[in-house]
Amino acid sequence: MKKLYKFAILGCGNGGKALAAQIASKGHSVNIFEALEPTKDFLKLQREKEIYVKGDITCNGNLNCVTADIEEAVSDRDIVLVVAPAFAHEPLFKLLIPHLKDEQKVIIIPGNYGTFLLKKMMSEYGISKNISISEVASLPYACRATEYNTVTVYKQKLKLKLATCPVEKNEEILNIMNEIADIYIYGENVLEVSLDNFNAILHPLPVLLNVAGIEKNPKNFRHYMDGISPLVSKKMEEMDKERMSIGEKYNLKLLSTLDQEKMYYGFNETQSIYEYVNSEESPYKDIYGQSVFGRYITEDLPYLVVPTKQLGEKVGVKTPVIDVCIALASKLHDKNYIETGYNLEKLGIKDMSMNKIIEYAIKM
């Protein structure tokens, strides 16, 4: 008989709802937490406690609890999934840390360097618990909530990297998550998983190179289909090579963005990102709507591209396309994304050597 766990999901967005339904459909107890002011849709979900997933996967799950009370959400839980944008990690961690208990398992989806931030915050608050922290490279799905209790999954990823700190706990977490959906594969460490989030390549640069088109037609602009041309794809691939070069210096087994697309959504013989997003395997054809101030820049640039740049600086890798991407976004948004994003000081690793950062990524 399989072991049943008690899950808490922090985040009531598209991915959080889809995971809640999928996990609950397997018989596990699921609490879902929303930190924002409750809306009418949230209150309806709180009363009904059932979520549906349709599309590439189909399931539904009855929830144990839908709450805006963090203690109620996590106090008796075995596993805490943080399923939220990176800009929400710090406020969620502030709520979570006082309620952490020994032996709890925290899984951050997607990771976005969340392990480093959570460890730093726990140290600052004087909290020491025997927990594990795992990161997943990306959301398990390309999905959107279509109703308050329904999420449409355009495509569930076929394979997805997961790593755990401390590393000796990784097999246990992989086994738990693969019982939910048999898609998770071994990542060497949480640094590798964060650097392998391909949103750093897929999102900011195409937005920045299509600002006028997006501003003129935000509702109907298709980021992947309209925003990625052969030339834009070429520049994305140059940016990706910079990321891969950084990974090599840290002895990490990174995958190119094109190889990740093929691993996630299906292999084919395409030779460029442009060709892949226009192929039969692409999950992006029906994804409409974009903003020059949306999360493709405001999340993925400060929380993925900025730490990539600074990790590269630490080991002497030049990143001209990454640098232009950050500079242009900062100028367009009138923000200093180096200062406001996940710079290495924010993550608590500024003064660490390369080897110390790697050690920090594998040990609690």
Side-chain angles (χ1 to χ4, degrees):
M1 179 180 292
K2 73 177 182 182
K3 182 175 180 179
L4 294 178
Y5 292 93
K6 294 179 179 180
F7 285 80
I9 297 178
L10 309 189
C12 201
N14 306 334
K17 286 180 177 178
L19 274 161
Q22 193 173 40
I23 293 169
S25 74
K26 300 289 186 176
H28 303 281
S29 172
V30 177
N31 294 347
I32 192 165
F33 168 79
E34 176 59 85
L36 302 177
E37 191 70 25
T39 62
K40 288 183 179 179
D41 282 349
F42 177 82
L43 294 174
K44 286 176 71 175
L45 184 63
Q46 192 173 49
R47 290 193 298 270
E48 297 172 13
K49 295 186 177 66
E50 188 166 15
I51 299 181
Y52 301 86
V53 172
K54 62 182 182 180
D56 188 43
I57 59 172
T58 302
C59 63
N60 66 285
N62 292 301
L63 306 178
N64 176 65
C65 174
V66 179
T67 182
D69 182 328
I70 188 69
E71 185 173 9
E72 182 180 28
V74 306
S75 62
D76 68 338
R77 302 286 99 177
D78 306 305
I79 301 165
V80 178
L81 304 185
V82 180
V83 190
F87 58 76
H89 284 173
E90 186 172 3
L92 282 174
F93 293 165
K94 284 181 180 178
L95 295 172
L96 172 63
I97 286 170
H99 303 286
L100 286 172
K101 291 182 171 57
D102 287 335
E103 306 305 326
Q104 280 185 319
K105 302 163 180 60
V106 177
I107 306 174
I108 308 169
I109 307 176
N112 290 9
Y113 302 92
T115 300
F116 297 104
L117 181 64
L118 180 53
K119 288 176 70 173
K120 176 173 177 274
M121 291 176 65
M122 288 175 66
S123 177
E124 290 172 343
Y125 295 172
I127 301 294
S128 178
K129 295 293 180 182
N130 181 24
I131 65 168
S132 64
I133 309 171
S134 304
E135 293 192 19
V136 176
S138 179
L139 274 175
Y141 335 95
C143 65
R144 285 210 174 162
T146 45
E147 296 180 57
Y148 73 96
N149 64 350
T150 304
V151 178
T152 296
V153 171
Y154 301 109
K155 208 160 189 180
Q156 177 175 268
K157 292 179 172 67
L158 301 173
K159 298 293 179 185
L160 188 55
K161 268 189 187 180
L162 182 152
T164 301
C165 179
V167 290
E168 57 264 25
K169 296 283 189 180
N170 203 33
E171 185 175 356
E172 178 186 6
I173 306 301
L174 280 168
N175 289 338
I176 292 169
M177 293 303 292
N178 277 325
E179 192 277 323
I180 306 300
D182 191 15
I183 63 173
Y184 297 95
I185 61 175
Y186 182 84
E188 290 289 337
N189 58 59
V190 293
L191 178 63
E192 178 185 287
V193 167
S194 283
L195 263 173
D196 241 358
N197 187 330
F198 69 171
N199 286 349
I201 308 302
L202 286 178
H203 291 164
L205 192 60
V207 172
L208 293 168
L209 297 177
N210 286 276
V211 167
I214 294 168
E215 283 195 304
K216 290 177 180 178
N217 190 26
K219 290 185 180 179
N220 296 313
F221 191 89
R222 299 174 300 171
H223 175 83
Y224 301 92
M225 311 305 295
D226 301 327
I228 301 178
S229 67
L231 183 56
V232 171
S233 175
K234 182 181 177 183
K235 297 299 121 180
M236 294 166 69
E237 287 151 12
E238 290 176 12
M239 186 173 172
D240 204 30
K241 286 179 182 177
E242 295 172 7
R243 181 185 66 87
M244 296 286 288
S245 295
I246 295 165
E248 288 177 12
K249 288 285 188 178
Y250 286 83
N251 297 311
L252 302 174
K253 299 174 183 176
L254 302 188
L255 294 169
S256 73
T257 292
L258 181 58
D259 285 342
Q260 288 187 64
E261 291 279 12
K262 293 177 181 182
M263 179 177 76
Y264 289 160
Y265 302 121
F267 181 81
N268 58 33
E269 299 295 336
T270 56
Q271 298 297 307
S272 70
I273 296 171
Y274 169 76
E275 290 177 1
Y276 194 89
V277 300
N278 286 279
S279 70
E280 286 301 312
E281 286 71 26
S282 169
Y284 305 123
K285 296 183 178 67
D286 297 320
I287 298 179
Y288 289 81
Q290 192 49 261
S291 166
V292 296
F293 294 99
R295 68 175 182 85
Y296 282 10
I297 292 182
T298 59
E299 179 183 4
D300 295 327
L301 188 130
Y303 301 106
L304 289 175
V305 182
V306 166
T308 298
K309 169 187 166 59
Q310 293 204 327
L311 286 165
E313 287 176 342
K314 188 171 281 289
V315 292
V317 176
K318 295 186 182 300
T319 54
V321 183
I322 287 174
D323 294 350
V324 167
C325 190
I326 295 171
L328 183 54
S330 296
K331 182 63 70 175
L332 283 173
H333 288 182
D334 293 318
K335 290 186 176 181
N336 186 331
Y337 276 122
I338 294 289
E339 288 187 3
T340 62
Y342 274 179
N343 56 64
L344 300 192
E345 184 175 4
K346 177 76 172 179
L347 297 176
I349 56 176
K350 179 182 177 182
D351 297 324
M352 294 185 188
S353 66
M354 180 190 76
N355 290 333
K356 185 64 177 176
I357 290 172
I358 295 169
E359 180 183 352
Y360 191 64
I362 65 177
K363 295 180 180 179
M364 283 300 292

